[in-house]
Amino acid sequence: MRGKNILGDAFGYMVLFGIIALLVQSRVPLYVGAFLFFTDGERIDAALGTIGIRLEPDAIGPDIIKSFVSLFAWFALLASLRPSVPTWLASWIPPDTSWSTIAGIAVVLAFAEACAALVMRTALPWFGVQIRPDSLTAAAIKLLLAIGLLGLLVLVGSL
């Protein structure tokens, strides 16, 4: 039954964003629709559940998978929209980047984000701090931890 729901959602997104794309005469709405479809966390869980993979809620695996899908979709969206994005943003997108490079960058960033989430889940209660995982404070702390971890990786890599 889940497979039919996923296909129904895909068809709905395709029709809705296809009509918007026809109205504005651009491919950008199609890319945005694909991005929104593929990065939905509940849909990722349902798709993996359809093929028999169940993710444990408090483990690091779901964070890595969902972050990777979201980041890879974001980078793919930016790469495919390179001619359409503002010049200040286009300068941040590497020219002629292969999909394997984009996937590698997404894996590293997803791993850093998942490790930051794991640190927050384990260390904050140890210090007696209670933060909702979907709050703005939690997102800011996770961002700072991920940036710190990436900085540490760059520092170790330059030695």
Side-chain angles (χ1 to χ4, degrees):
M1 191 67 174
R2 289 186 207 158
K4 289 182 183 180
N5 289 339
I6 293 172
L7 290 177
D9 284 350
F11 182 74
Y13 273 79
M14 184 175 58
V15 168
L16 175 67
F17 286 97
I19 290 171
I20 294 170
L22 286 173
L23 290 175
V24 298
Q25 297 293 312
S26 174
R27 294 181 304 191
V28 174
L30 292 174
Y31 297 147
V32 171
F35 172 76
L36 292 174
F37 176 77
F38 286 117
T39 59
D40 183 20
E42 292 178 12
R43 190 170 294 115
I44 293 169
D45 287 339
L48 291 174
T50 300
I51 59 174
I53 298 173
R54 188 174 68 92
L55 300 174
E56 293 296 325
D58 289 334
I60 195 169
D63 291 335
I64 291 175
I65 291 172
K66 291 176 185 175
S67 296
F68 170 74
V69 170
S70 178
L71 289 169
F72 183 76
W74 178 246
F75 294 150
L77 177 67
L78 288 178
S80 62
L81 295 177
R82 184 177 177 82
S84 306
V85 297
T87 55
W88 65 268
L89 185 59
S91 65
W92 284 76
I93 303 171
D96 300 327
T97 304
S98 68
W99 289 107
S100 60
T101 304
I102 291 173
I105 293 169
V107 164
V108 169
L109 292 176
F111 184 72
E113 185 179 349
C115 287
L118 180 66
V119 166
M120 280 184 49
R121 278 196 308 264
T122 57
L124 290 181
W126 189 66
F127 289 113
V129 178
Q130 296 293 329
I131 298 176
R132 285 191 357 246
D134 59 344
S135 69
L136 183 59
T137 305
I141 293 170
K142 188 167 66 168
L143 175 66
L144 289 174
L145 287 171
I147 289 172
L149 181 61
L150 289 173
L152 184 64
L153 287 174
V154 168
L155 181 65
V156 168
S158 66
L159 292 178

